[in-house]
Amino acid sequence: MRISINRHADTPVYLQIKNQVRDMIFSDVLPEGMLLPPERSLAKDLEVNRSTVIRAYQELKADGLVGSQVGKGTVVLHQTVKKSSLAEGYINPLPWYQLFAETVTSSNDNIIGDIMAITGSDNVISFAGGIPAPSLYPIEIMREIQSELFETANRELFLHSPVEGHYPLRESISYLLRQRQIVAAPKDTVILSGSQQGLDFMARVFIRPGDTVIVEEPTFFGAIQIFRSAGARVIGAPIDKEGLRTDVLEALLVRHKPKFIYTLPTFQNPSGVTMSLERRYQLLNLAYQYQLPILEDDPYGELYYESTPIPPLKALDRHGYVIYLSTFSKSLFLGLRVGWVTAAPQVLAKFAQLKQMTDLHVNTPAQLLLDAFIRKGCYERHVAVLRQEYAARRDKMLRALEKYKVPGISWDKPEGGYYIWCKLPDNILRHKLVANASKRGVVFLPGEAFYPDGTQGDTHVRLNYTFASPEQIETGIKYLLQAVRETTITAGNHENERNLKPLV
Amino acid sequence: MRISINRHADTPVYLQIKNQVRDMIFSDVLPEGMLLPPERSLAKDLEVNRSTVIRAYQELKADGLVGSQVGKGTVVLHQTVKKSSLAEGYINPLPWYQLFAETVTSSNDNIIGDIMAITGSDNVISFAGGIPAPSLYPIEIMREIQSELFETANRELFLHSPVEGHYPLRESISYLLRQRQIVAAPKDTVILSGSQQGLDFMARVFIRPGDTVIVEEPTFFGAIQIFRSAGARVIGAPIDKEGLRTDVLEALLVRHKPKFIYTLPTFQNPSGVTMSLERRYQLLNLAYQYQLPILEDDPYGELYYESTPIPPLKALDRHGYVIYLSTFSKSLFLGLRVGWVTAAPQVLAKFAQLKQMTDLHVNTPAQLLLDAFIRKGCYERHVAVLRQEYAARRDKMLRALEKYKVPGISWDKPEGGYYIWCKLPDNILRHKLVANASKRGVVFLPGEAFYPDGTQGDTHVRLNYTFASPEQIETGIKYLLQAVRETTITAGNHENERNLKPLV
């Protein structure tokens, strides 16, 4: 019996022995009834400990490959299936791409994954993500709360939670909602793995392939992606400085009969625009008239840097038409993956059913941690700190834009949220801008990602001001605008004109 | 201006003032140009602090409802949209059920949710769930690791993770997989929110409405539910004491051309059966021959109470046909919601795409906690403790079944895992058994939940022995078998014969 041992392999020695004997049995090198060498002598041959061989033989017995016969030793048993029958001939690799259902889009533009990968790397100034400033994380308070929870909650900290979420956290969310002028009982909320999961559940609950969904144009690209992968036609409705153009919307409702409208009314992503109160009432009126649910996504509403913002649509809607999503990802940490939906009971029942089927419930420790953080009043204090700090970063970015300004760029001052939506010169070579800027260590999101048809918005960029430090903001904007200047075609910019030729 | 204040309401007083003024403006009680009372005098009238009225007026200004006029005071501004236009006429409630897509089943049997709700309540002995024993949770070690992580990982603890999972945890999982004889690099694994999410992603990646999926009969009800809600026909293949009947399976493959096969080969849920090595090779051969992916669900494999178990299908498969799911929910805590998939790169790419779209990534603190727990060798020690303790609980339940046995019941001894699958007398009134047992404070899962057609299995119950304490196991089995005796029709059991009549 020839067995070779590799002492540097990851596989333990006893397993190497066992697997080789198994293979010899299946390939009939060791036929039925054959005696295996005694453990002691095999151990000597292989220069291993006797217990190693004993363990290998025990495992072979457990697998029904060998048996002990009194007075004889260890004997190979009858095997119906031989290794040879498994290995015989050429086995085709699986044609995976023929097996996949088409409903999952195979789009290559994994923007979110790319941003997350870039954002982690050093030596890069990132205006690309939508991530809160790590330096402001309330780590010390979290450490204290976590250690209290080990005392008070103990095992409950790791037990399963109800599908709809940890009840005390749902109570705490009711409290937060009241500050946003939304009156909702704990039972009106279901906890989700981020508001991203709310978008996915909306798609699964409402969209049949071929249905239409209306979104703002521009809008959050993750929403476009998820609605489309559920088989929806995603139609954009324009926005202006007062938000969604309700006059255009009405024409779209008549023409497309959408399943629902998706809107980010407050400090919109990417434009930073806030829908006016007048437009909010007009939108609600249209929803009532056309019997249309509104999906209101409100991740940024509490991060206002001027006066308190206009109430959410959910606060103005008295008829349960608004499905309201929000999250702790923008005010605390992205890494906890906790958000929620507040909606009519019929919708919540569907969401809870999906939650149970798809992942049972949200991570319990995260729910307990957030609940304690809110109950102690830490959440409000933390958000107040963020408002100050992010307002300062926004102003820093606005000043830097002004300072390093190049002809043809423009922007509006957002009154809250995470982003400045910056218009570039019309004559920019946009395909080159991303490469030119990242050569200088600056990343951002090009505007076309935010349009359903991917062709508009090509002269805008979205600049996030919460993640980079104030020093990085100054430097990053300087380099970015240098890159803009260099990739803009002007009478005097000959090098770029030459570079343009192959593109034409 | 009549304003009424409710000092016991949840809504802060300044908001009560603001909302009532807003409503009066919208309903033209306060027309354009109307002067609001000075802050001081309104405060006096309402017996509130002056700063409360100031805040209310400030918010009305922020909303564009009123303005300050020098020398006059606070004045109502022109409003295009009036409350009256919003509230005019009767607004129909949304016909939600007409709007929902049909792909989400509206099945009422929310078994998992029900189990989770029951399991939390006191005074109940639960054999129903699949939950690890809370008394064995390694809380102290977790507390230490958590507090180390606050030092070492600090902010990273709450940052976003890569879509595919925290890389060190993927390394640790490679290490755990080697102990299960599976050779897989970290890149071969994607971290999921429990293996439940793996079932959901399988359905989304592979199933088009009308496709067929083959499952073992009986099998995990959550899998039946999720495959069906994706539009699949779920066909059962029988099992016996050696696991999946591969002879019957081949006939089913020819007839139904399924998209994939779902199997729990080791310590199966609910039957406790382990597929023999011979059957494993036969199943792989069939998969190769019919070009069929195998979804192997292995939540229980490391919880063996006799010899080390037969290798997973994934360890025997050299051609990438097996998609392998596993989880920390059965060995540690359900509440963390962390599991994983190990599979061919094409499949992992699809899973990662879905992960990014549906919930971005798994909770970061849970991933760091688990990784540290494994690296310190705590995981292996903990699983060794579980093996001892669960073996003792299993034996306790087996002894209690023997002790309180009633005619017609039978069971097999499972060699690992969580469950005893117990056959009841044929002449039992099964509809009454659940009620009779829960009257005595004992809950369990009736067998029919585990069959795709819901009608078979009606003389089995699944009994979990990991969650109840050893004392509860003895008492619970005693009461359960009393209930069985009372709900079985025998010549001498007249009361039940009378009760039977209305059912016939």
Side-chain angles (χ1 to χ4, degrees), chain B residues 111-411:
Chain B
I111 300 173
I112 299 178
D114 290 350
I115 297 173
M116 283 169 55
I118 288 168
T119 305
S121 52
D122 298 333
N123 310 322
V124 164
I125 297 178
S126 176
F127 303 141
I131 297 168
S135 63
L136 304 177
Y137 287 178
I139 297 285
E140 267 316 308
I141 300 170
M142 288 296 174
R143 182 209 301 263
E144 281 166 33
I145 293 177
Q146 185 68 62
S147 102
E148 281 171 33
L149 284 173
F150 268 104
E151 294 295 335
T152 54
N154 199 266
R155 283 171 194 139
E156 198 205 338
L157 198 47
F158 295 106
L159 261 179
H160 55 286
S161 314
V163 169
E164 297 83 359
H166 180 57
Y167 194 81
L169 178 61
R170 295 163 82 196
E171 287 181 328
S172 289
I173 285 173
S174 285
Y175 171 78
L176 295 183
L177 287 175
R178 276 205 301 278
Q179 300 180 335
R180 303 179 192 181
Q181 309 192 35
I182 296 170
V183 179
K187 69 167 175 45
D188 299 327
T189 289
V190 166
I191 312 290
L192 301 172
S193 301
S195 50
Q196 181 79 22
Q197 188 167 52
L199 296 178
D200 182 41
F201 284 6
M202 270 308 282
R204 293 177 78 159
V205 168
F206 286 95
I207 299 174
R208 291 191 194 90
D211 282 345
T212 298
V213 173
I214 291 189
V215 302
E216 290 159 339
E217 203 173 64
T219 193
F220 172 49
F221 45 81
I224 301 174
Q225 188 187 27
I226 195 95
F227 298 153
R228 204 169 261 163
S229 90
R233 287 183 62 205
V234 180
I235 304 277
I239 61 169
D240 60 20
K241 294 189 181 189
E242 286 192 61
L244 191 61
R245 287 273 304 273
T246 39
D247 53 342
V248 180
L249 177 65
E250 181 155 16
L252 294 174
L253 297 186
V254 172
R255 186 180 305 162
H256 296 291
K257 300 185 177 34
K259 217 56 189 290
F260 60 85
I261 299 174
Y262 171 67
T263 174
L264 287 137
T266 308
F267 315 137
Q268 207 245 7
N269 175 8
S271 68
V273 162
T274 292
M275 195 187 296
S276 67
L277 189 66
E278 185 177 333
R279 292 273 178 87
R280 288 179 194 230
Y281 280 120
Q282 287 169 350
L283 174 57
L284 286 170
N285 272 334
L286 287 173
Y288 299 151
Q289 189 181 339
Y290 289 91
Q291 297 261 293
L292 200 69
I294 296 172
L295 176 59
E296 177 177 32
D297 194 357
D298 189 23
Y300 307 107
E302 61 194 344
L303 297 170
Y304 51 83
Y305 313 135
E306 312 293 327
S307 51
T308 44
I310 297 169
L313 290 162
K314 185 73 188 160
L316 304 173
D317 166 33
R318 306 265 173 253
H319 302 282
Y321 277 54
V322 175
I323 298 166
Y324 179 85
L325 294 180
S326 194
T327 180
F328 295 103
S329 297
K330 304 302 175 180
S331 52
L332 275 170
F333 325 107
L334 203 68
L336 286 184
R337 311 303 312 129
V338 183
W340 73 89
V341 58
T342 303
Q346 298 93 329
V347 177
L348 287 191
K350 283 284 177 190
F351 271 53
Q353 197 185 348
L354 275 171
K355 187 71 191 162
Q356 178 255 298
M357 282 204 300
T358 59
D359 57 4
L360 225 52
H361 66 77
V362 169
N363 175 279
T364 305
Q367 295 193 67
L368 269 69
L369 191 68
L370 286 171
D371 177 49
F373 190 74
I374 297 166
R375 277 175 202 268
K376 285 168 182 284
C378 300
Y379 187 79
E380 286 153 280
R381 285 197 293 276
H382 179 65
V383 169
V385 169
L386 292 186
R387 280 184 203 122
Q388 278 208 323
E389 184 65 30
Y390 290 164
R393 292 187 189 203
R394 174 199 63 176
D395 294 341
K396 182 97 186 176
M397 188 175 274
L398 290 170
R399 280 197 305 274
L401 283 168
E402 196 60 54
K403 184 169 167 189
Y404 301 107
K405 193 170 175 176
V406 291
I409 80 159
S410 63
W411 60 88

Side-chain angles (χ1 to χ4, degrees), chain A residues 263-463:
Chain A
T263 174
L264 287 137
T266 309
F267 314 136
Q268 207 244 8
N269 176 8
S271 69
V273 163
T274 292
M275 195 187 296
S276 67
L277 188 66
E278 185 178 331
R279 291 274 178 86
R280 287 178 197 230
Y281 281 120
Q282 285 168 350
L283 175 57
L284 287 169
N285 273 335
L286 286 173
Y288 299 152
Q289 188 181 338
Y290 291 91
Q291 297 260 294
L292 200 68
I294 296 173
L295 176 60
E296 176 177 32
D297 195 358
D298 189 22
Y300 306 107
E302 61 195 343
L303 297 169
Y304 51 84
Y305 313 136
E306 311 295 327
S307 51
T308 45
I310 296 170
L313 290 162
K314 185 74 187 160
L316 305 173
D317 166 33
R318 305 264 173 253
H319 302 281
Y321 277 54
V322 174
I323 297 166
Y324 179 85
L325 293 180
S326 194
T327 179
F328 295 103
S329 297
K330 304 301 176 182
S331 53
L332 275 169
F333 325 106
L334 204 68
L336 286 184
R337 312 304 311 127
V338 184
W340 73 89
V341 57
T342 303
Q346 298 92 329
V347 176
L348 287 191
K350 283 284 179 191
F351 271 52
Q353 196 185 348
L354 273 171
K355 186 70 191 161
Q356 178 255 298
M357 282 205 298
T358 59
D359 58 3
L360 225 51
H361 66 77
V362 169
N363 175 279
T364 305
Q367 294 192 68
L368 269 71
L369 190 68
L370 286 171
D371 176 50
F373 190 74
I374 298 165
R375 277 175 201 269
K376 286 168 183 283
C378 302
Y379 187 80
E380 285 153 282
R381 284 196 294 276
H382 179 65
V383 169
V385 169
L386 292 187
R387 280 186 203 120
Q388 280 208 322
E389 184 64 32
Y390 290 163
R393 292 187 188 204
R394 174 200 60 175
D395 293 342
K396 181 97 186 175
M397 188 176 273
L398 290 169
R399 281 197 304 274
L401 283 168
E402 196 59 54
K403 184 169 167 189
Y404 301 107
K405 196 170 173 175
V406 291
I409 79 160
S410 63
W411 59 88
D412 288 311
K413 177 180 175 176
E415 299 201 334
Y418 264 45
Y419 311 108
I420 292 174
W421 183 235
C422 183
K423 198 192 159 304
L424 300 173
D426 290 329
N427 49 349
I428 197 159
L429 299 165
R430 66 180 182 92
H431 294 297
K432 292 196 169 176
L433 179 61
V434 172
N436 195 333
S438 61
K439 214 171 59 193
R440 289 177 157 83
V442 181
V443 293
F444 61 87
L445 279 191
E448 58 265 39
F450 300 91
Y451 287 82
D453 66 3
T455 57
Q456 296 178 56
D458 53 359
T459 58
H460 277 85
V461 291
R462 189 191 77 176
L463 302 175

